[in-house]
Amino acid sequence: VPPEETMRELLDLAMRGDLRKIQARLAQLKEQDSSYGPFAEKLRQLAEGFKLRALQDLIEQHVGEKNDQ
């Protein structure tokens, strides 16, 4: 899962419905660190399917996750 700051950025974009920026940010994530690939791909699929609520829910599940461990 990407860093907290990135997750919050993605959540903000999802809440604004900015699918283009979400997809651009996810592409950057995959280039920065291939370990984010599977997570970024799942979010990308939701974005492409215009499933904003599901996208927001998935991101919200992971916000703060690293701090909780």
Side-chain angles (χ1 to χ4, degrees):
V1 175
E4 174 84 11
E5 181 179 327
T6 302
M7 295 301 291
R8 291 193 180 280
E9 177 187 351
L10 288 168
L11 181 58
D12 180 59
L13 292 171
M15 292 174 74
R16 290 189 281 142
D18 196 336
L19 295 174
R20 187 173 294 159
K21 284 188 181 176
I22 290 170
Q23 290 178 336
R25 189 64 181 102
L26 292 173
Q28 289 175 340
L29 271 178
K30 287 168 66 172
E31 287 179 21
Q32 285 175 346
D33 189 333
S34 62
S35 69
Y36 300 146
F39 184 74
E41 181 60 23
K42 183 166 182 112
L43 292 178
R44 187 193 62 77
Q45 289 175 356
L46 291 172
E48 283 188 356
F50 301 100
K51 297 178 180 175
L52 284 173
R53 186 68 241 166
L55 183 67
Q56 290 174 19
D57 289 346
L58 182 58
I59 295 169
E60 287 173 345
Q61 288 174 14
H62 294 285
V63 169
E65 186 174 88
K66 289 186 178 182
N67 295 333
D68 293 343
Q69 295 178 355

